[in-house]
Amino acid sequence: MLRINNLSKNFDDKEVLKDLSITFPNSGFVAICGPSGCGKSTLLHIISGFEKPSCGEIIFNDIAHSISMSFQEPRLLPDRTALQNVNFVLGDKKATLSRAKELLVALDIQDVDLYPDELSGGMKARVSIARALAKKTDIYIFDEPFANLDKETALLCIDVIKKETAGALTVAVLHDTDLAEKISDRVIYLK
């Protein structure tokens, strides 16, 4: 179980999160929704260890808490193909290329040898999702994974994410509250 106790985060004078407490389950799909600027992405960055809280604590009980994250912007390695970007997190081995390709094809990326500058925004988002899913972890974090995707492609990605993360905890920031309610086991609304 992942627990957040009395967490606050300030950037200089700006308070982004204040006295937030949440208990997450060991597994399932949890969506975080709320208006722009309410701290959704900041919360994900704190959970993943990229940001430190100003005060409060994060407690990982009963899980080893290995984490995989897909950022709001894809952050792909520009000198590697889509396939190589996904395979990179698998140790960049020849033996893992089939797993990397399997994920990309499942997310409807057929030409796995394109470089990031040859990919559309939606394709980059799907490569980022595939990269986050490549390794089996305890917690998967997705920051607005469907922002650059049409509804049909988003639904395809949701199916793949749910299949690949079964038994783990998945936390995703989603702007579409209707979608969040439809696909999530739990929705947390931040103000």
Side-chain angles (χ1 to χ4, degrees):
M1 178 172 19
L2 164 62
R3 252 188 12 228
I4 295 172
N5 287 336
N6 301 48
L7 187 133
S8 294
K9 177 65 179 177
N10 300 324
F11 292 103
D12 296 322
D13 314 5
K14 184 173 180 174
E15 186 174 68
V16 180
L17 297 169
K18 181 180 180 181
D19 201 30
L20 181 66
S21 294
I22 304 170
T23 300
F24 293 89
N26 284 341
S27 63
F29 195 103
V30 177
I32 299 175
C33 298
S36 292
C38 72
K40 300 179 302 292
S41 294
T42 299
L43 176 60
L44 296 187
H45 289 186
I46 290 171
I47 292 170
S48 62
F50 291 109
E51 291 280 346
K52 299 288 182 208
S54 300
C55 65
E57 60 183 346
I58 299 173
I59 302 164
F60 296 94
N61 290 337
D62 305 327
I63 56 175
H65 76 275
S66 57
I67 296 173
S68 182
M69 182 167 183
S70 175
F71 295 90
Q72 209 170 59
E73 62 289 331
R75 297 188 184 188
L76 302 178
L77 300 169
D79 60 337
R80 292 177 181 252
T81 65
L83 181 63
Q84 291 168 335
N85 263 279
V86 176
N87 198 44
F88 182 76
V89 300
L90 294 170
D92 219 8
K93 301 175 193 148
K94 207 172 203 177
T96 55
L97 282 170
S98 62
R99 167 76 176 142
K101 185 172 184 176
E102 171 190 310
L103 282 168
L104 288 166
V105 170
L107 292 164
D108 200 26
I109 302 284
Q110 304 303 323
D111 192 346
V112 300
D113 294 321
L114 293 176
Y115 286 86
D117 65 350
E118 300 172 307
L119 300 171
S120 69
M123 292 170 81
K124 288 177 186 175
R126 286 179 280 151
V127 173
S128 180
I129 291 169
R131 189 173 58 188
L133 295 172
K135 283 184 93 166
K136 294 296 180 192
T137 63
D138 301 305
I139 302 172
Y140 294 88
I141 296 177
F142 296 93
D143 194 355
E144 297 187 43
F146 315 126
N148 290 319
L149 304 178
D150 59 66
K151 187 175 182 177
E152 184 179 318
T153 306
L155 292 173
L156 168 71
C157 291
I158 290 163
D159 287 343
V160 174
I161 289 170
K162 286 195 163 203
K163 176 184 168 214
E164 293 293 331
T165 63
L169 172 61
T170 302
V171 181
V173 165
L174 300 177
H175 270 302
D176 186 334
T177 55
D178 291 335
L179 180 64
E181 293 283 351
K182 181 179 175 184
I183 67 167
S184 305
D185 300 309
R186 179 177 174 201
V187 181
I188 297 167
Y189 292 95
L190 298 183
K191 295 181 181 179

